[in-house]
Each structure stands twice: as C-alpha cells, then as structure tokens.
Amino acid sequence: MLAVTRSSLPRVPWRVCRAAYATAPSLNPVIEQDIHHFSKILPSTSVVSTLSPVASPASDLDQFNNDWMGKYKGQATTVVKPKSTHEVSQIVRHCWERRIGVVPQGGNTGLVGGSIPLKDELVLSLANMNKVRSFDPISGVLVADAGCILQSLTDYIAPHNHIMPLDLGAKGSCQIGGNVSTNAGGLRLLRYGSLHGTVLGLEVVLPDGTILDQLTTLRKDNTGYDLKQLFIGSEGTLGVITGVSILTPPAPQASNNVILALPKFDNVLPLYKLVKQQLSEILSAFEFIDRTAYELAVKHGQGRALSDEDVRGAACFVLVETSGGRREHDEEKLNHLLETLLEAEKPLINTGVLSQSPAQFSSLWALREGVTEAISKEGKAYKYDISVPLSSFQDVVDGTREHLRSKGLLNDSAVKHVIGYGHVGDGNLHLNVVAESYSPEIQAALEPYVYEVVASHRGSVSAEHGIGSMKTHALHYSKDEVSIALMKKIKEIFDPRGIMNPGKVLP
Ligand SMILES: Cc1cc2nc3c(=O)[nH]c(=O)nc-3n(C[C@H](O)[C@H](O)[C@H](O)COP(=O)(O)OP(=O)(O)OC[C@H]3O[C@@H](n4cnc5c(N)ncnc54)[C@H](O)[C@@H]3O)c2cc1C
C-alpha cells in the first residue's frame, strides 16, 4: 500500500520546483564557444541561438521555449536541429564533456512540461530527422527517424494498407520519437496495445554520445535484458531516441462508429460490459466525454453538433468504434448491439447516432478528439491524466468540482469548468479544470487534493502523458520508495552527469 498523508506532501507549485532546480550547480549554460563548436558539426541553418556569432532574435526561440498550453516557459538560448544520428551523437558528446543540459524536443505537444527547458539547457530538436528508413509491407515493420511526424507516417503506410498502431489528437505535430519517449497511449490502445508491445527496436544516442543500436525488426528476440523498454516512456531522461522500428497493423477493411448518449454516468460500466460482449474482436475504441466536454467541443468547432433530440437529457456520451475485416459482418454486429440497447426494458442509453459516411465518421471522432483543443481555446487548463477504477470516474470529477466550490473557486473569474473525458476502455480519465488563468490559489486547491484522491484508489497520477516537470513531486503517489530508488539508480547508470532532460521525471 502507498502510505500517503497530507503532511508528507511537498506543497510547492511547479514554478517553485523550477526555481529550486535553477540553483543546481552541476550544469553549465551554453556559451559562445559552444556555438562555434555546434557550427562545425551542423550547417548554420540548423543552429538557432541568441548568442554570437549566430545571434538570432529571441523570438526565434519562442516556439521551443513555450509549450502547447502556454503553461511552461523555458529560457534556452540555443536550439540545434541535427539531421543524422551521427550529428546527434557529436552534439550530445560535446554537451557531456562540457556538462551542458540537453532537452530533446519532438513536436512539443507534450502536456506535462517535459519538452521545455527548466532553465537555459540546450534544446535538441529532432525536427530535421524526418526520413522513413524502410517499410516492409509483408511484416508491417516500419523503421523511421525519430523526428517523423505521426500523421506523415500514417500517410506513408496508408497506400500499403497499413495503419499506425497509435493515434492521438496531436498527430499532425507530434513525432514518433516523442510518442515513444512519452509512451503515448491515445485512441487505439484498446485495440493494439501500448508502445511497449508494438515498438520492436530503437536507436538511441546515450548521454555520453555513444550510439546504442537496438534497431531490430525482429518480433521475437529473447537475448537477455530488453534495454529498449527502458527508453519507452523515459521522457528523454536516459538518451535521445533517433530511430524507431515499429510494428504496424493491417488497415481494417471496415470501420464504423457510433455516439451513444447516456442519461447518467452509472450506465457507462454496464454499457462497456455489454459492448465488449457483443462486439468482441471488432471493438476498437470506447471513449467517454461528459456533457461539458461535448458542449465545449461543439462550441469551439470540433465536429458537428448532434441534434437537440439526440442530446436531450444526456449526462454524458460514449463513442464506440469498430474495425474489422468484413463490412456486412461488422455492421450486422453493430446494428444488433444498437437494437439490444434501444429495445431494452431499462435502456442504458437515450439515443445512438451512427455514422453513415466517411465524413460523418470523422465528424463523430472530432467531437471526442477535439476536446483537448476545445479546452485550450476555452481557457487555461489544469490537466490531470489519471488512471482510476472505471467505477469512480464520475466521483472523481464531481468530487473535484465540489472541492473547488467549497474553496469558493468555482466561478467565472476563477474555475469555469471541471470536465471528465478519456479512454474509458483503458481506465484512463482526463480530469481537466478549466480556469480563466493559471493562479496559485487554484493550483494549491488542486494539489495535493487530486493526487491524494488518485492514491486512495491505488491509481496512477499519469496514465499516458508522463511526469515531465509537472509531476516529479507527485511520483511517489504512484511509485513506492523501492521503485523510485531503482529508477534513480538506472538514471545514474545511463547519465551519471545528469545532462539528459534535467529536472524531469525523477524528484
Ligand atoms: C491535442 C492533443 C491531444 C493529445 N492526445 C494525447 C493522447 O490521446 N494520448 C497521449 O498519450 N498523449 C496525448 N497528447 C500529448 C502528446 O501529444 C504526447 O505526449 C506525444 O507523444 C508527445 O510527442 P511530441 O513529439 O510532441 O513530444 P514532445 O512534446 O516534444 O516531448 C515529450 C517528451 O518526450 C521527450 N522527447 C521527445 N522526443 C524525443 C526523442 N526523440 N528522444 C528522447 N526524448 C524525446 C521530450 O524531452 C519530452 O520529455 C496530446 C496532446 C495534444 C496537444
């Protein structure tokens, strides 16, 4: 059991944690001599720096120093954009020798501050490493540079009738290396499992510049410790991933989706049970959005609103997707499910909206996928990406809302909405608190409150987004002392100088 008491918690907002790191003496800032060195390794267009002799305007670094939510802000003076593994290795080796902190950055869509320097570390952007190295349409094994954007890989393999085993709202910007580094979950995990299963091999530049070549395409390889697993989800703290070998599944021959409107959250669990039973092997997603999340998605132009009749009396919605090998067979199963649901004596759902065309299929998905973006347009979001038992999803959301109300913070000038949505099929709830602005009062009201609730359910404080800099102080809610001590030892083995993504993941 995790022993958690209120007094055992560091009551420090993330900004204070960052300041604490800033005083750490062991790392050096990038200086002009380093720029000279990087300029020997890379063409001038691949070094962006406010330092001489490059002297770019500070605004050129904004996109690298600010995260997607506008929550985390770094002070990097320099960004390098290598094109090859060899260049990454030379840069990292130099940083190792000079003890300069290195922050690997992919698409910078992470939601926990992992890709933003805490201070003035070097940002190593993978954006220029964007080539597919090979694709075998028989085995479905794709080998690509880490900087390839997820959507471009999806497009690359589509003509070969394959799909990526993961899909997420940020697919147009996030990179496969970032996905692996965060062990991203997303919308297909229910069907294809986690990246710990689908990633077959990795190429990684270690903190001293050594290239670890584990870029195997083998599905079976029981030759000792499976080192690549350590880098999946390590958020750039153990090395820079430069190449990824990943197993891609054949594209389903038929996909359907339906949005079900439910009168109360209590119906979600029995619905999930029934849907699993009836759809079995063709079920590929079971996603949940509460009423507020739905309304924000519609308000901010994500997908087409359902009719008034379809949303009347709905407390929440579930999006069910099927993917299978034969359209008639899948449609028959789905129609049978809908009949069962609508004709039941005590119906679990009010209505169901079934997509009838590819455009409607995308529009229904947009209502779910677009929630993250809609929230960012609505205000400043405190995002808690947690794993808790399915049965407690609604209690966690309602409890948080009541907690904020009791603190006098639930009003238009503080917290506007408390929202729940997420990957119900994976037990992953996105609890989002949308505020007018980030404020210490809201932060203090939410933490440690939310983490204590998670710990009381023996849940996880990070289901899929990672720890980054946001949750280092909360790691102990989900990992015991022995586990954290071992993680620190592993970090020490790979990176005894602590240059890789300092201040992230480990407290
Ligand atoms: C609209 C939206 C929807 C999202 N939906 C989901 C979702 O459904 N599921 C989910 O899991 N996440 C989701 N996310 C979060 C985010 O997209 C994922 O975490 C994604 O995997 C990050 O990829 P990235 O390339 O942007 O990485 P970045 O944000 O650039 O980096 C993330 C972390 O990985 C490290 N890193 C990046 N590249 C490398 C590399 N090559 N080598 C070593 N370390 C590296 C960084 O240092 C950082 O710690 C969403 C984000 C947005 C904005």
Side-chain angles (χ1 to χ4, degrees):
M1 286 286 282
L2 285 176
V4 178
T5 61
R6 234 163 224 283
S7 57
S8 69
L9 301 168
R11 289 171 177 278
V12 279
W14 63 271
R15 283 177 208 284
V16 179
C17 296
R18 291 156 73 86
Y21 161 74
T23 60
S26 55
L27 296 175
N28 294 313
V30 179
I31 55 173
E32 276 178 36
Q33 282 90 325
D34 300 309
I35 306 298
H36 280 288
H37 187 83
F38 297 144
S39 302
K40 284 185 210 150
I41 302 169
L42 302 173
S44 58
T45 48
S46 298
V47 182
V48 185
S49 178
T50 53
L51 304 175
S52 300
V54 175
S56 317
S59 56
D60 284 4
L61 285 113
D62 282 353
Q63 70 176 105
F64 305 98
N65 270 324
N66 292 283
D67 77 316
W68 188 84
M69 298 176 291
K71 183 174 181 185
Y72 300 95
K73 201 168 172 48
Q75 298 151 39
T77 60
T78 306
V79 177
V80 288
K81 301 181 190 171
K83 258 202 160 98
S84 68
T85 305
H86 182 61
E87 287 178 355
V88 174
S89 161
Q90 284 178 288
I91 289 161
V92 172
R93 176 163 295 130
H94 176 78
C95 293
W96 168 261
E97 282 160 6
R98 284 262 301 113
R99 290 181 188 266
I100 294 169
V102 178
V103 179
Q105 194 175 92
N108 198 11
T109 66
L111 299 173
V112 290
S115 51
I116 300 298
L118 293 188
K119 204 184 160 206
D120 54 2
E121 300 89 284
L122 175 76
V123 173
L124 193 154
S125 164
L126 278 295
N128 283 345
M129 286 198 66
N130 53 14
K131 302 265 181 309
V132 171
R133 299 192 191 178
S134 66
F135 178 66
D136 178 355
I138 308 290
S139 64
V141 178
L142 171 72
V143 182
D145 283 353
C148 288
I149 289 174
L150 181 58
Q151 181 66 57
S152 63
L153 293 178
T154 303
D155 296 342
Y156 185 91
I157 59 177
H160 303 282
N161 287 321
H162 279 73
I163 58 169
M164 293 300 286
L166 79 161
D167 184 24
L168 48 149
K171 59 184 160 235
S173 307
C174 65
Q175 301 174 0
I176 190 68
N179 300 148
V180 173
S181 303
T182 54
N183 187 23
L187 307 163
R188 292 187 181 147
L189 191 132
L190 183 70
R191 180 63 169 271
Y192 300 111
S194 97
L195 291 168
H196 280 293
T198 49
V199 170
L200 301 179
L202 290 178
E203 177 188 80
V204 183
V205 172
L206 299 175
D208 67 355
T210 305
I211 298 169
L212 174 71
D213 182 357
Q214 296 229 323
L215 207 53
T216 173
T217 54
L218 307 173
R219 291 201 63 180
K220 297 183 85 173
D221 176 18
N222 269 356
T223 49
Y225 305 138
D226 190 358
L227 295 177
K228 71 168 184 294
Q229 297 295 351
L230 282 174
F231 298 95
I232 301 174
S234 66
E235 300 179 57
T237 58
L238 300 179
V240 183
I241 296 175
T242 47
V244 176
S245 158
I246 188 165
L247 187 64
T248 69
Q253 297 304 303
S255 292
N256 292 299
N257 63 6
V258 56
I259 279 204
L260 306 171
L262 284 72
K264 54 180 186 221
F265 177 83
D266 290 349
N267 291 3
V268 174
L269 254 180
L271 177 68
Y272 184 40
K273 197 170 160 219
L274 186 79
V275 167
K276 272 203 298 186
Q277 261 168 8
Q278 293 216 356
L279 297 180
S280 58
E281 84 290 351
I282 63 164
L283 175 64
S284 53
F286 189 92
E287 296 283 321
F288 164 75
I289 51 176
D290 70 13
R291 178 80 189 227
T292 317
Y294 165 80
E295 275 164 8
L296 287 186
V298 171
K299 176 177 170 188
H300 293 288
Q302 310 291 323
R304 252 199 34 226
L306 307 178
S307 72
D308 288 350
E309 201 183 322
D310 286 325
V311 296
R312 191 170 302 126
C316 57
F317 302 85
V318 162
L319 185 145
V320 175
E321 185 197 63
T322 63
S323 307
R326 201 155 58 83
R327 181 167 297 281
E328 305 78 51
H329 166 265
D330 298 356
E331 281 176 1
E332 197 183 309
K333 271 190 150 181
L334 194 52
N335 286 332
H336 180 61
L337 169 72
L338 291 176
E339 276 166 27
T340 314
L341 285 169
L342 292 168
E343 287 166 13
E345 218 169 283
K346 287 187 187 160
L348 294 172
I349 63 165
N350 292 346
T351 54
V353 179
L354 185 64
S355 63
Q356 304 286 343
S357 66
Q360 284 177 8
F361 178 87
S362 305
S363 177
L364 290 191
W365 257 121
L367 286 169
R368 162 61 189 92
E369 271 190 290
V371 173
T372 312
E373 194 155 340
I375 287 171
S376 78
K377 289 181 177 158
E378 180 71 7
K380 295 293 179 193
Y382 291 85
K383 289 185 170 291
Y384 296 96
D385 154 47
I386 57 183
S387 277
V388 284
L390 230 168
S391 54
S392 55
F393 269 34
Q394 195 60 42
D395 290 347
V396 172
V397 178
D398 291 345
T400 305
R401 191 178 291 117
E402 283 318 305
H403 175 73
L404 290 167
R405 199 192 305 279
S406 73
K407 302 260 175 202
L409 290 169
L410 201 65
N411 55 62
D412 271 357
S413 55
V415 171
K416 301 202 281 187
H417 311 284
V418 179
I419 297 166
Y421 66 102
H423 316 293
V424 170
D426 314 326
N428 176 187
L429 171 68
H430 294 313
L431 168 68
N432 278 227
V433 173
V434 188
E436 193 53 30
S437 57
Y438 292 124
S439 84
E441 290 77 29
I442 300 173
Q443 173 84 22
L446 288 170
E447 294 180 27
Y449 171 82
V450 173
Y451 298 133
E452 285 179 349
V453 171
V454 172
S456 72
H457 289 288
R458 291 201 59 128
S460 170
V461 295
S462 176
E464 61 175 8
H465 292 164
I467 296 294
S469 57
M470 176 187 173
K471 300 179 190 170
T472 51
H473 65 290
L475 191 61
H476 68 277
Y477 287 102
S478 297
K479 290 269 187 290
D480 68 358
E481 274 175 30
V482 178
S483 308
I484 294 178
L486 271 174
M487 284 165 68
K488 284 183 174 169
K489 277 188 189 162
I490 289 169
K491 169 78 175 168
E492 179 67 22
I493 289 171
F494 280 90
D495 186 18
R497 295 187 183 177
I499 66 160
M500 287 306 308
N501 217 357
K504 312 291 169 55
V505 180
L506 287 166

